[in-house]
Amino acid sequence: MTLSYFLGCPLWQHPDWKSQLPQGNSALERYSQVLNCVEGNTTFYATPSRAQCRQWRSQVHDDFRFLFKFPREISHDQLLANTDAQVRAFLEILAPLEDVLGPFLLQLPAKFGPEHLGNLWRFVDALPAPLTCTVEVRHRDFFSKGEAEKALNRGLRERKIARVCLDSRALFAAAPDSETTRDAQRKKPRVPVHLLPVEAPPVIRYIGHPDLETNRHYLAPWVERVGAWIEAGQRPFVFMHMPEKGGGLSLAGLWSALLSERVAQLDALRLEKTSRRWASSSACDLPYNTSLTSTAREQQCASSPLS
């Protein structure tokens, strides 16, 4: 499967996807016939073996991309300080996947603040070429449009590193009327949507409303934004999450159908069966006045507050 952009989920297998994906010899092979990238959450919690990496490489096509997270002890426990030996060991294990590695997802915890930016710059500057990363921050100072955010954005722009844009507004617009939704709302960050124009493929992580159809409303501005990027020759990474993990594939299918209406040369995903198992009876009745189509200036990020 070839797309003019990258579309994926935070995992490549779920029991509920068996009826939606084509046949294949493994869950990853079946997934990669429909989607062309994946968030590598598995490496945040445990490092695979080199043999496992070779097996994964044999199961995906050349245009597939893994966006692995660095192990938790590197990004969260040590806050990127004094991690050279650990990083070298980690990259050595992933070597069989080198030609299908996208940018690493460097997801930083809320305790990683402005005082730790020096750690970030030393860390990314030490990554061996051609490896790179995309950075997701959660500390509130990096969303305040003050000196901390300016310093972050300036450093990323100088290094041509994308700032991950996390959009959790749809999730937090949902009524907390199920344990799954409440759990997602406890765990996912509720931060403003900040986009940073930079010479690197944009990375979007969208956290959906538990009612599948309600997401049409929240995806609409992203359809316009991503469509414009594709038409301009960019190849962004777009990841679809749902409060119930198994719903991510259906959300990706909905997103793909909407984007194919916006970009003529794109075909919608061909899922074997569209599942509505994750739809809930709750509907979003909150106002949604935020536009994501504001012009991105060279020295500032286009941002919008939460609904």
Side-chain angles (χ1 to χ4, degrees):
M1 181 211 65
T2 302
L3 286 174
S4 54
Y5 73 109
F6 290 100
L7 175 62
C9 292
L11 67 168
W12 65 66
Q13 63 179 328
H14 191 278
D16 296 322
W17 293 358
K18 291 181 179 179
S19 63
Q20 295 179 271
L21 294 175
Q23 294 300 308
N25 294 321
S26 69
L28 178 56
E29 182 182 323
R30 297 178 70 204
Y31 174 96
S32 67
Q33 292 180 58
V34 175
L35 300 171
N36 61 353
C37 68
V38 68
E39 288 186 18
N41 290 327
T42 180
T43 52
F44 181 74
Y45 300 102
T47 300
S49 67
R50 193 178 175 96
Q52 182 66 71
C53 290
R54 284 195 293 268
Q55 186 176 23
W56 289 342
R57 179 62 188 92
S58 71
Q59 295 168 0
V60 299
H61 49 81
D62 292 347
D63 197 48
F64 192 87
R65 292 294 180 268
F66 293 92
L67 275 70
F68 287 114
K69 292 181 180 178
F70 282 98
R72 180 187 183 93
E73 57 266 24
I74 292 176
S75 59
H76 284 55
D77 298 342
Q78 295 176 238
L79 301 180
L80 307 183
N82 304 314
T83 61
D84 290 354
Q86 292 161 283
V87 171
R88 284 196 300 271
F90 179 61
L91 296 180
E92 177 62 24
I93 289 173
L94 296 184
L97 293 163
E98 186 171 4
D99 67 318
V100 287
L101 290 177
F104 284 92
L105 268 174
L106 185 52
Q107 191 178 80
L108 300 172
K111 64 182 179 181
F112 190 100
E115 69 274 20
H116 300 112
L117 281 178
N119 291 356
L120 175 59
W121 306 139
R122 284 188 291 273
F123 184 89
V124 298
D125 289 346
L127 282 178
L131 300 180
T132 185
C133 64
T134 179
V135 176
E136 180 179 325
V137 291
R138 298 188 174 184
H139 193 286
R140 286 287 173 177
D141 285 355
F142 294 132
F143 297 89
S144 66
K145 302 184 182 181
E147 291 306 312
E149 183 168 15
K150 291 177 182 177
L152 170 68
N153 290 348
R154 182 169 57 250
L156 293 176
R157 189 179 291 113
E158 289 172 353
R159 292 166 173 82
K160 299 180 181 180
I161 293 174
R163 175 176 175 172
V164 174
C165 183
L166 176 73
D167 186 355
S168 60
R169 290 172 295 183
L171 169 64
F172 287 101
D177 54 7
S178 73
E179 181 53 38
T180 299
T181 300
R182 289 191 293 272
D183 185 59
Q185 290 175 339
R186 283 192 298 268
K187 293 178 178 178
K188 299 298 183 183
R190 189 172 188 172
V191 294
V193 176
H194 283 202
L195 281 171
L196 176 68
V198 65
E199 292 181 40
V203 180
I204 308 302
R205 300 178 69 231
Y206 174 87
I207 318 297
H209 191 286
D211 180 85
L212 182 64
E213 289 300 315
T214 298
N215 287 288
R216 291 179 180 271
H217 179 64
Y218 293 93
L219 289 172
W222 283 118
V223 167
E224 182 58 36
R225 168 86 60 176
V226 173
W229 282 335
I230 293 171
E231 290 172 343
Q234 297 190 65
R235 204 175 184 196
F237 292 88
V238 179
F239 293 102
M240 291 290 148
H241 296 240
M242 285 286 269
E244 166 58 54
K245 292 181 180 179
L249 188 58
S250 291
L251 181 60
L254 173 62
W255 158 263
S256 174
L258 295 173
L259 188 62
S260 68
E261 295 174 359
R262 166 62 177 78
V263 183
Q265 70 268 27
L266 285 182
D267 293 327
L269 296 184
R270 289 186 172 87
L271 299 178
E272 298 295 315
K273 179 181 178 182
T274 300
S275 173
R276 297 303 173 93
R277 161 171 158 19
W278 304 275
S280 73
S281 59
S282 61
C284 173
D285 57 1
L286 298 178
Y288 190 72
N289 299 322
T290 301
S291 171
L292 288 175
T293 58
S294 56
T295 302
R297 302 298 180 187
E298 176 64 20
Q299 299 299 321
Q300 66 184 15
C301 58
S303 63
S304 56
L306 288 164
S307 299

